Amino acid sequence: MGDQKRPLQPGETAPEFSLPAANREGMVSLASLRGRPFLIGFFRGLHCPFCRRQVAQLGALQPALRAAGVETVAVINTPIENARKYSRYRPTPVTLLSDPDCLTHRAFGVPRIEFLPDGSNEKPEWPYRASMAEFAAARVNPTGELPEPLNPLECNPALNAKDGFEMSEADHAILATHPTQLTGHFLVDAAGIVSWVQIEAPAGPNSISIFPTPAQIIAAAGKLAS
């Protein structure tokens, strides 16, 4: 695992954080959310089409989550100006937070993949250490939009072209700095205790960009409210 911490587990306390909001005024922190349950999703930058789709899906779930008393925030690995520009283009009822350095991702223990050097004798430990050969052999098509499953590194350009999404200078910089950041979802209760966790690709690279389904999220929120 190196210097990475393991993901927070149910029963553990969520860490303090304070991040700028892209589609509302001011900062959002653990302290400001305390007193009501919330779902917090950690995503790659806006260059990731699967992350953009998941944020849209979370937006569509807002009526059901609000009915369960659950607020939703999405932490995007992009500078605040970039997040604000995107939120004006693609408005969402989800509160978007900016974390260009993935500091909050780290605090919650959302993994990032580190590739072993060619010829290394070090044992892979997914998702913290992986061989490039293992990653290159993976094929994914989680949303079924691609004509055939592709290597994870090939999916972004294909879907971004399909979406007409043109990467900005900030998007390119984030992709270069955080190319292997994974995603995670955490449901936190009113006292700040984690009650449910989903980390991307727990079994290996063939499950990259498979996120929790609406049914899974609603079921977890329902258990919290009951």
Side-chain angles (χ1 to χ4, degrees):
M1 289 179 59
D3 63 347
Q4 298 191 57
K5 63 179 287 186
R6 64 175 178 80
L8 291 179
Q9 297 300 304
E12 296 183 330
T13 302
E16 297 290 339
F17 66 88
S18 182
L19 295 171
N23 54 353
R24 56 184 268 191
E25 294 297 321
M27 306 288 287
V28 173
S29 66
L30 181 66
S32 71
L33 293 166
R34 196 179 298 276
R36 58 195 185 281
F38 65 93
L39 174 69
I40 184 166
F42 294 93
F43 298 98
R44 290 180 280 278
L46 294 171
H47 62 270
C48 172
F50 297 113
C51 297
R52 299 195 306 269
R53 283 158 171 71
Q54 180 66 359
V55 171
Q57 177 176 284
L58 291 178
L61 282 178
Q62 288 311 286
L65 289 173
R66 285 175 178 159
V70 176
E71 185 166 347
T72 307
V73 296
V75 181
I76 310 296
N77 175 216
T78 199
I80 185 63
E81 297 82 5
N82 206 39
R84 285 174 176 156
K85 181 179 178 181
Y86 183 77
S87 71
R88 289 193 293 269
Y89 175 66
R90 287 279 187 248
T92 175
V94 174
T95 299
L96 297 181
L97 307 182
S98 165
D99 188 349
D101 299 314
C102 285
L103 297 179
T104 320
H105 298 64
R106 306 279 184 269
F108 276 75
V110 183
R112 68 184 185 278
I113 306 163
E114 296 177 358
F115 291 118
L116 298 173
D118 289 340
S120 172
N121 293 321
E122 190 175 357
K123 184 179 179 181
E125 183 189 1
W126 182 266
Y128 304 102
R129 297 192 305 272
S131 70
M132 182 57 79
E134 175 190 18
F135 196 81
R139 295 293 182 269
V140 301
N141 187 12
T143 62
E145 296 174 83
L146 298 167
E148 62 181 0
L150 297 176
N151 175 271
L153 297 175
E154 299 173 324
C155 293
N156 284 9
L159 284 181
N160 283 339
K162 178 180 182 294
D163 293 347
F165 180 85
E166 296 185 9
M167 288 181 53
S168 67
E169 186 175 321
D171 295 324
H172 282 290
I174 287 293
L175 176 58
T177 307
H178 303 281
T180 56
Q181 177 64 52
L182 294 178
T183 69
H185 295 67
F186 298 79
L187 194 59
V188 181
D189 70 15
I193 305 300
V194 174
S195 67
W196 175 81
V197 178
Q198 191 275 347
I199 299 295
E200 180 185 12
N206 283 310
S207 55
I208 280 178
S209 296
I210 295 177
F211 301 134
T213 65
Q216 289 171 326
I217 293 172
I218 294 301
K223 289 179 182 177
L224 183 62
S226 61

